[in-house]
Amino acid sequence: MSLFNQQGFLRLPWQGNSFANGIHPEDHKELTEHKPIRRMPFSNKIIVPLSQSIGAPAKPVVSKGQDVVRGEPIAEAGGFVSAPIHAPVTGTVAAVDELVSMPNGSKTPAILIDTWPSSDQTIRYLQPRDTKVMSADDLVKAVQDAGVVGLGGAAFPTHVKMKAPKGKTIKTLVANGCECEPYLTCDHRTMLEYTDNLLKGLQLAMVTSGAEKAIIGIEDNKMDAVEKIRKAIVAHQLTNITCEAVPTCYPQGAEKMLLKSLLGLEVPAGGIPADIGCAVFNVGTLAQIGELVPEGRGLIERIVTVSGPGVSKPGNYIIPLGTPLPFVLEQVGAIDNPGMIILGGPMMGTSIATRDIATTKGITGILVFPPEQLPSSHEPEMPCIGCRACVEACPMYLNPSMLGKLADASRHQEMMDEFHLMNCFECGCCSNSCPANIPLTQKIRVAKQSIRQKARSAG
């Protein structure tokens, strides 16, 4: 048998219910994993960016000075690959199309709302549905109307994934509960505290996708969640759903890695899970579907892990979308002059340069670090010593060292043509494992951006 598969990757044996390579960073989950989810107070001002998902921005349907109630639609989807937006609070629209900052430094239009201080903030915009009599198409439309996007961080409009792509058949639906990023525990707490909503959402996704069975995959450092879900599956007599524990290893939560671990299947290079008869959803996304679709309301808040050594009250908080970051930091007792604030996890998250942003649908975590406790090495970059630590860590069996050297020489096309550049999903394993402190992930990310920019210019 050839040592390489059809995509040119080194063929390594399937190791039971895990994948080869990967790393084991310190997880720091003890800061929040045992704390119940709490609700954060409402800010007196809400900033709602119109770009909160991959795809077209939403289009405002309200005007300045208009009063809105919590849950009311305030922006419609800008196309099929887009998601509507609903009022996170009851209040008065203070501005429409106001340019505000996003985590990546860009500016985007937003709707600003002044929160009514006298309101109890009850959700008053509801359209309850009987999901048992709804067709698959009706359920997909309901998910889109709710504005649900992938809550694992990708923020891809969920309704687009709810049905099998044309020419594909979905046989197995996978619920991703791995949450392998250090510090983050919002999915873990969701599985423990919103178990029934998760199973309801999973069943609705099985109806729309046509999947015959579903598997919930959870890393084995969350066995309390595994046991809770297994008991609920038995109690509800869900014979076509199982819950499986997989070894704790970063990046187990990447969908390609999880499919390899659970099913022993590889997604083709450049392909999607549907190519092997699967669809993958984050457990937090499914829990929201299970709650929002029957109630007929929109996604107006989400659970966010707020943690790190720069926070005095770490935890998982239900935060209204559009809550200004300074308000969040004040509520959790964050230090005044942090050395770094990361949105998401330390491996794949984004370090921000400004606090003038608001929470959005795609923010899974807010991590605060003092200057003396930064999560990554700030030692100077040294020459590559050829130790192959990055090669042994890469879950996609790439050669990050070679990719880094080619990136330094701006040989981006060669990176793509000869060394499978676009198969990298920027998990950070290579940078984390490099003893020479070479920022391999950043070099690779820049090269991929260059390739995409050239393709857009040529098109």
Side-chain angles (χ1 to χ4, degrees):
M1 184 176 68
S2 171
L3 291 176
F4 294 86
N5 63 16
Q6 293 179 349
Q7 291 78 44
F9 299 153
L10 178 64
R11 184 190 297 274
L12 295 179
W14 181 42
Q15 301 184 352
N17 63 339
S18 187
F19 60 94
N21 296 5
I23 60 176
H24 294 85
E26 292 186 41
D27 64 26
H28 301 287
K29 294 179 185 288
E30 71 283 352
L31 296 172
T32 58
E33 63 184 341
H34 300 300
K35 295 182 178 181
I37 296 168
R38 291 171 284 175
R39 180 172 291 280
M40 186 164 285
F42 293 89
S43 170
N44 60 3
K45 291 187 180 295
I46 293 293
I47 304 167
V48 187
L50 295 174
S51 295
Q52 293 200 44
S53 66
I54 295 176
K59 300 177 180 179
V61 295
V62 293
S63 56
K64 183 178 179 179
Q66 180 177 337
D67 295 336
V68 293
V69 298
R70 191 162 181 245
E72 178 181 347
I74 57 175
E76 63 185 7
F80 180 66
V81 184
S82 181
I85 296 173
H86 305 75
V89 296
T90 293
T92 301
V93 176
V96 177
D97 285 334
E98 181 87 4
L99 286 179
V100 299
S101 297
M102 294 294 282
N104 62 5
S106 65
K107 296 284 188 177
T108 189
I111 297 172
L112 275 56
I113 303 175
D114 290 332
T115 305
W116 286 1
S118 59
S119 173
D120 62 5
Q121 295 301 332
T122 299
I123 300 173
R124 303 190 185 282
Y125 197 93
L126 298 170
Q127 297 175 321
R129 306 179 179 96
D130 183 358
T131 57
K132 294 179 181 178
V133 300
M134 295 175 67
S135 68
D137 288 339
D138 288 340
L139 289 171
V140 172
K141 181 64 164 56
V143 171
Q144 181 177 24
D145 290 344
V148 180
V149 304
L151 299 183
F156 187 79
T158 301
H159 66 276
V160 179
K161 295 172 58 179
M162 293 289 285
K163 295 192 74 173
K166 188 175 181 180
K168 309 288 184 184
T169 300
I170 302 299
K171 296 182 179 179
T172 304
L173 195 150
V174 173
N176 187 347
C178 287
E179 196 170 44
C180 57
E181 274 270 13
Y183 289 98
L184 301 188
T185 60
C186 53
D187 284 350
H188 185 184
R189 296 307 311 179
T190 295
M191 291 186 286
L192 288 172
E193 300 185 44
Y194 296 96
T195 311
D196 286 348
N197 285 343
L198 164 59
L199 294 177
K200 289 177 185 176
L202 186 54
Q203 291 174 84
L204 294 178
M206 292 178 71
V207 171
T208 62
S209 65
E212 302 167 354
K213 63 178 182 178
I215 304 175
I216 304 170
I218 304 174
E219 281 192 319
D220 59 12
N221 61 354
K222 308 174 187 67
M223 289 307 297
D224 52 351
V226 173
E227 293 166 4
K228 177 80 180 292
I229 291 172
R230 284 176 175 171
K231 289 179 180 178
I233 289 172
V234 172
H236 293 294
Q237 299 180 336
L238 303 176
T239 57
N240 56 352
I241 298 177
T242 59
C243 182
E244 303 294 337
V246 293
T248 298
C249 180
Y250 182 86
Q252 186 74 264
E255 62 181 17
K256 290 184 178 181
M257 304 300 102
L258 184 55
L259 290 171
K260 180 72 170 178
S261 297
L262 287 175
L263 305 171
L265 299 176
E266 288 187 13
V267 177
I272 58 176
D275 294 331
I276 56 173
C278 299
V280 183
F281 294 86
N282 168 263
V283 290
T285 307
L286 292 171
Q288 285 286 3
I289 291 173
E291 180 179 1
L292 300 181
V293 171
E295 293 184 358
R297 65 180 178 91
L299 179 63
I300 58 175
E301 59 193 16
R302 67 156 297 157
I303 301 168
V304 181
T305 300
V306 188
S307 188
V311 171
S312 63
K313 294 182 284 188
N316 288 289
Y317 295 88
I318 299 174
I319 303 179
L321 300 174
T323 300
L325 181 60
F327 181 84
V328 174
L329 297 177
E330 178 184 356
Q331 295 300 312
V332 300
I335 59 176
D336 291 332
N337 297 299
M340 182 180 293
I341 298 176
I342 294 176
L343 301 184
M347 297 299 296
M348 296 185 70
T350 302
S351 175
I352 59 172
T354 176
R355 300 189 192 187
D356 295 329
I357 61 173
T359 57
T360 59
K361 298 178 181 182
I363 293 179
T364 57
I366 300 171
L367 308 181
V368 183
F369 297 90
E372 68 276 10
Q373 290 181 266
L374 298 181
S376 58
S377 173
H378 282 255
E379 297 295 324
E381 179 181 341
M382 303 294 287
C384 174
I385 60 175
C387 67
R388 292 182 57 85
C390 60
V391 176
E392 293 173 2
C394 179
M396 295 302 292
Y397 320 137
L398 304 178
N399 187 334
S401 174
M402 179 59 71
L403 289 170
K405 292 174 182 177
L406 292 173
D408 287 340
S410 297
R411 292 159 62 179
H412 299 159
Q413 195 64 40
E414 185 177 348
M415 294 170 70
M416 186 171 71
D417 295 343
E418 302 295 331
F419 293 94
H420 310 285
L421 168 68
M422 304 311 285
N423 288 322
C424 170
F425 58 89
E426 302 169 29
C427 67
C429 286
C430 53
S431 295
N432 183 273
S433 61
C434 179
N437 301 307
I438 301 173
L440 294 167
T441 305
Q442 179 63 23
K443 294 175 186 285
I444 291 170
R445 181 179 294 123
V446 170
K448 290 171 68 177
Q449 291 171 346
S450 174
I451 291 289
R452 292 185 182 116
Q453 183 59 45
K454 287 182 179 179
R456 284 192 293 267
S457 299

